[in-house]
C-alpha cells in the first residue's frame, strides 16, 4: 500500500464510539508493528506494556517476542484501554475484567481472526475501493516501509518474525530491484 492509502485506511475509524475507539487502536497497532492478525487477537491485557511501549506476542511455532510501538499507538491503546475498563465495569458492576483478551467484541469476548479480517475489509472499502486490502497487506506494507527506511533485511526479518531471512528477502525483492535501477546513472 502507498503511504496515502495507509493514511486513508487509518483515518477511517473516527474514534467517536467505543467500537471505533477499539478499531482505531487495533488498526494502528497492526500497521505500526507488522504483527500477524493471529498475534493481534491472541494478545491479552497482560501482554501490553504502555510505559515501555511494547507488546509481548506469541509467534507461530510457539516462539515469543516483544514488539515495540510508537507514542501515537500508545495514545490510541491508552484511550481504548480506558474505554474497555469503563465498559467492563458498567457491564459487570464490579470493575473486574473476566476476559483477558486485549481486543473484545461487542459481546465482551475475544475477537476472532475472521472478525478482524472483516473489520479491515470494511474500512479499506471506503479508503481504497478499488484495492482488496487485507490485514496481511498492512503487515507487508509495514515491512516494506521498515525496509525502505532501514535497508536492513535482518532487522525486518526479526521484527516480522520470519525464521529465514530468505523469506523476507523474497517479499522485498521488488524494493531491491528498484534500488539497483536507481543507481544506474551514478
Amino acid at each position: 500500500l502507498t503511504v496515502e492509502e495507509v493514511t486513508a485506511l487509518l483515518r477511517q475509524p473516527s474514534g467517536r464510539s467505543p467500537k471505533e475507539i477499539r478499531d482505531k487502536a487495533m488498526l494502528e497497532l497492526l500497521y505500526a508493528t507488522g504483527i500477524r492478525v493471529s498475534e493481534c487477537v491472541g494478545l491479552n491485557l497482560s501482554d501490553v506494556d504502555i510505559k515501555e511501549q511494547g507488546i509481548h506476542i506469541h509467534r507461530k511455532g510457539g516462539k515469543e517476542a516483544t514488539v515495540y510501538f510508537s507514542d501515537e499507538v500508545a495514545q490510541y491503546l491508552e484511550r481504548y484501554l480506558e474505554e474497555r475498563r469503563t465498559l467492563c465495569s458498567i457491564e459487570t458492576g464490579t470493575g473486574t475484567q473476566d476476559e483477558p483478551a486485549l481486543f473484545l467484541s461487542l459481546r465482551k469476548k475475544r475477537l476472532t481472526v475472521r472478525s478482524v479480517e472483516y473489520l479491515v475489509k470494511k474500512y479499506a472499502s471506503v479508503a481504497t475501493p478499488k484495492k482488496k486490502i487485507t490485514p496481511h497487506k498492512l503487515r507487508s506494507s509495514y515491512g516494506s516501509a521498515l525496509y525502505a527506511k532501514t535497508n536492513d533485511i535482518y532487522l525486518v526479518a526479526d521484527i516480522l518474525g520470519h525464521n529465514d531471512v530468505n523469506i523476507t528477502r523474497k517479499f522485498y525483492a521488488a524494493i531491491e530491484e528498484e534500488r539497483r535501477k536507481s543507481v544506474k546513472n551514478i
Side-chain angles (χ1 to χ4, degrees), residues 148-159:
K149 184 174 182 172
T150 65
N151 199 26
D152 186 343
I153 199 72
Y154 294 98
L155 177 65
V156 175
D158 182 51
I159 289 175

Side-chain angles (χ1 to χ4, degrees), residues 84-103:
R84 186 188 185 285
R85 276 189 293 276
T86 302
L87 288 173
C88 288
S89 294
I90 291 168
E91 178 123 335
T92 62
T94 63
T96 61
Q97 298 170 349
D98 296 330
E99 176 57 63
L102 173 61
F103 294 111

Side-chain angles (χ1 to χ4, degrees), residues 5 8-15 17-24 26-27 115-129 131 133 138:
E5 290 168 333
L9 173 64
L10 296 177
R11 195 180 303 131
Q12 287 307 304
S14 65
S17 70
K19 181 181 176 298
E20 286 187 344
I21 291 170
R22 179 207 61 200
D23 294 354
K24 180 81 169 163
M26 189 178 350
L27 287 173
S115 61
V116 176
E117 289 170 344
Y118 173 77
L119 181 145
V120 170
K121 182 180 176 181
K122 179 183 92 168
Y123 289 118
S125 68
V126 174
T128 57
K131 267 192 179 176
I133 298 176
L138 289 176

Side-chain angles (χ1 to χ4, degrees), residues 5-145:
E5 290 168 333
V6 170
T7 302
L9 173 64
L10 296 177
R11 195 180 303 131
Q12 287 307 304
S14 65
R16 292 188 191 112
S17 70
K19 181 181 176 298
E20 286 187 344
I21 291 170
R22 179 207 61 200
D23 294 354
K24 180 81 169 163
M26 189 178 350
L27 287 173
E28 292 282 349
L29 184 68
L30 280 168
Y31 177 69
T33 60
I35 60 175
R36 294 174 178 92
V37 179
S38 59
E39 295 165 348
C40 182
V41 299
L43 287 170
N44 289 326
L45 290 168
S46 60
D47 295 326
V48 180
D49 186 341
I50 296 289
K51 208 175 264 184
E52 291 296 319
Q53 294 180 317
I55 51 173
H56 184 78
I57 56 172
H58 305 274
R59 298 253 190 219
K60 287 169 38 174
K63 295 181 181 175
E64 296 183 15
T66 299
V67 177
Y68 298 95
F69 50 83
S70 67
D71 293 339
E72 185 177 12
V73 173
Q75 290 174 356
Y76 290 121
L77 282 172
E78 281 180 319
R79 185 168 179 219
Y80 167 68
L81 289 171
E82 190 177 299
E83 187 68 33
R84 186 188 185 285
R85 276 189 293 276
T86 302
L87 288 173
C88 288
S89 294
I90 291 168
E91 178 123 335
T92 62
T94 63
T96 61
Q97 298 170 349
D98 296 330
E99 176 57 63
L102 173 61
F103 294 111
L104 299 178
S105 70
L106 297 176
R107 293 185 179 131
K108 309 292 184 277
K109 300 290 180 201
R110 184 180 299 273
L111 283 174
T112 64
V113 168
R114 181 69 193 120
S115 61
V116 176
E117 289 170 344
Y118 173 77
L119 181 145
V120 170
K121 182 180 176 181
K122 179 183 92 168
Y123 289 118
S125 68
V126 174
T128 57
K130 294 184 179 177
K131 267 192 179 176
K132 183 181 179 209
I133 298 176
T134 63
H136 195 77
K137 281 247 192 330
L138 289 176
R139 176 175 161 78
S140 61
S141 296
Y142 168 77
S144 296

